[in-house]
Amino acid sequence: MENDLYFMHQAYRLALEAESVGEVPVGAVITINNEIIGNGYNQPIKSLDPSAHAEIVALRNAAQKINNYRLVDATIYITLEPCPMCAYALLHARVKRVVYACGDPKTGACGGCIDLFNLSHWNHQIEVTQGPMSEECSALLKNFFQRKRKHSSVSTTQSTHQ
């Protein structure tokens, strides 16, 4: 579990990087044998790519690094519970373990909204752990969206008064 905290902290740093460029603050780190082989943060706005979630970016990065689209024996550390798109990508990549910090009741695919990894008919099973730093990652997201809503309401108020 000590490794889980270390790697989640690395994912959190990537989430901060996403936030610094105006993206939803989610970060992901992929490891094999406790070595980081891939990482990423949310960047659909910057890349104009709706699939550029932190997990997908990290999967692409890791697959290129090891020259294989199968990430058998890999663990991914994510600051937010994966959505269904990312969950399916993790299944197809044959990731061994998913560790996420905070749940997502609206779109989470590890039990927050739906539990895709708990379906028995898949040809691959993923171990899922809600890991460390849940409070920090949750606060980061809540603060980000509060600022967005506040900025949005100020912009709307200003535009209606002009």
Side-chain angles (χ1 to χ4, degrees):
M1 288 302 162
E2 187 176 314
N3 287 336
D4 286 357
L5 180 59
Y6 173 79
F7 291 120
M8 189 61 74
H9 184 70
Q10 301 308 308
Y12 182 80
R13 292 172 65 187
L14 290 162
L16 292 173
E17 192 171 334
E19 180 183 44
S20 75
V21 295
E23 299 280 358
V24 174
V26 179
V29 170
I30 299 177
T31 66
I32 293 181
N33 297 324
N34 293 318
E35 177 187 334
I36 295 175
I37 62 161
N39 60 52
Y41 60 83
N42 268 8
Q43 44 193 287
I45 298 167
K46 178 174 92 171
S47 65
L48 301 175
D49 178 357
S51 71
H53 290 193
E55 300 93 312
I56 302 297
V57 174
L59 283 169
R60 290 174 179 155
N61 184 260
Q64 289 181 355
K65 183 168 184 176
I66 68 168
N67 200 31
N68 193 337
Y69 73 105
R70 296 285 195 217
L71 302 175
V72 179
D73 296 324
T75 298
I76 185 166
Y77 298 87
I78 316 158
T79 57
L80 178 65
E81 180 180 359
C83 72
M85 173 185 70
C86 294
Y88 280 122
L90 295 166
L91 278 166
H92 287 291
R94 303 297 193 264
V95 168
K96 181 178 182 178
R97 182 169 177 242
V98 169
V99 180
Y100 68 93
C102 61
D104 184 351
K106 292 184 179 180
T107 64
C110 299
C113 176
I114 189 169
D115 193 351
L116 293 177
F117 293 138
N118 203 24
L119 300 175
S120 61
H121 65 275
W122 297 124
N123 61 350
H124 176 70
Q125 298 298 307
I126 295 179
E127 177 187 338
V128 178
T129 305
Q130 185 166 2
M133 298 186 66
S134 177
E135 291 179 19
E136 296 91 336
C137 293
S138 180
L140 180 64
L141 285 159
K142 285 178 186 173
N143 292 336
F144 174 82
F145 285 114
Q146 283 175 348
R147 284 191 307 276
K148 284 283 191 191
R149 283 190 295 274
K150 183 177 179 182
H151 179 71
S152 176
S153 68
V154 169
S155 297
T156 304
T157 304
Q158 289 174 348
S159 65
T160 59
H161 289 0
Q162 292 178 353

